[in-house]
Amino acid sequence: MSNWFTIDKVDSTTYILSEYRHWEETHCYLLNGKDRSFLIDTGLGICNIYDEVIKLTDKPVAAAATHIHWDHIGGHKYFPEFYAHGEELHWLNGEFPLSTETVREMVLDRCDPPEDFDISTYTMFQGTPARVLKDGDKIDLGGRVVEALHTPGHAPGHMCFWEEKTGYLFTGDLVYKDTLFAYYPSTDPEAYLASLEKIAALPAKRVFPAHHSLDIQPEIVTRMRDAFRQLKAGGKLRHGSGTFDYGDWAVWL
């Protein structure tokens, strides 16, 4: 299982743990402070992300998902201290709108799992967070502070995480290069635009998405915001409008 995760180093205290053997190419981010570490998303849960994390920090680790979808909370079971936004607590309590069978199909879709992976035992993580986050809450790691930003649209409790000191913006599923999903019943295209407006105002120096290419620049946030503005002006920022392609990204409404 050692080759399931690909580890990249951003700087001496920040790491990327990627799952390239699944089509979603999920990225998780470990931020190490002087006192504590913070893991943004825990991936699909196909392999034990904790085993990789403890190679990169000797500090206590708290985890938080950008949102409560299976591909972001799969490793939460290894982190007793985890945080979540209040809007999605019911999804952590058995009320996620997709069945276990459907989630299992999505986990196996276009995936190269380890030989000993047993999909029949796969379940969506459930639990009670140690801390319920709200917009503007700060997470102090000792020497570095991360701010939780409520950015709904893709999911009702979606959060981006902003580190002002470094200019690092962790965008979850709100921003990445590929097709953004805003067509689920639990998505909100209008809220998506409001969230893009919010993060476009930040002086981000680097953008770290939850999926696909890591070759992404902060200017994409402004381009996405402008495209969503145009869709709204044209009466198309609504479910059922279709898919709109902008070259290095698209949105499915």
Side-chain angles (χ1 to χ4, degrees), residues 25 35 38 40 49 86 89 95 105 107-108 110 118 126 132 138 147 166 169 183 192 194 206 220 230-231 252:
E25 299 176 321
D35 303 323
F38 183 54
I40 300 172
I49 194 171
L89 296 183
E95 295 182 34
E105 289 175 4
V107 169
L108 277 185
R110 288 172 281 168
D118 183 0
Q126 296 183 10
V132 176
K138 303 291 200 308
E147 181 178 358
T166 57
L169 177 62
Y183 68 92
Y192 211 121
R206 294 194 66 178
I220 198 172
Q230 291 171 358
L231 288 169
W252 183 358

Side-chain angles (χ1 to χ4, degrees), residues 211-230:
H211 297 288
H212 306 306
S213 177
L214 292 169
D215 181 15
I216 185 169
Q217 302 302 318
E219 57 81 29
I220 198 172
V221 179
T222 303
R223 285 196 285 123
M224 288 180 173
R225 178 204 63 191
D226 292 346
F228 270 69
R229 283 178 175 177
Q230 291 171 358

Side-chain angles (χ1 to χ4, degrees), residues 138-189:
K138 303 291 200 308
I139 300 147
D140 190 343
L141 306 178
R144 67 189 305 187
V145 176
V146 183
E147 181 178 358
L149 301 176
H150 184 210
T151 50
H154 174 74
H158 190 284
M159 294 180 287
C160 292
F161 292 96
W162 165 242
E163 187 177 18
E164 184 178 15
K165 185 176 180 179
T166 57
Y168 291 174
L169 177 62
F170 301 89
T171 58
D173 280 11
L174 191 75
V175 170
Y176 56 78
K177 283 186 174 180
D178 207 287
T179 302
L180 304 177
F181 294 158
Y183 68 92
Y184 303 135
S186 56
T187 64
D188 184 337

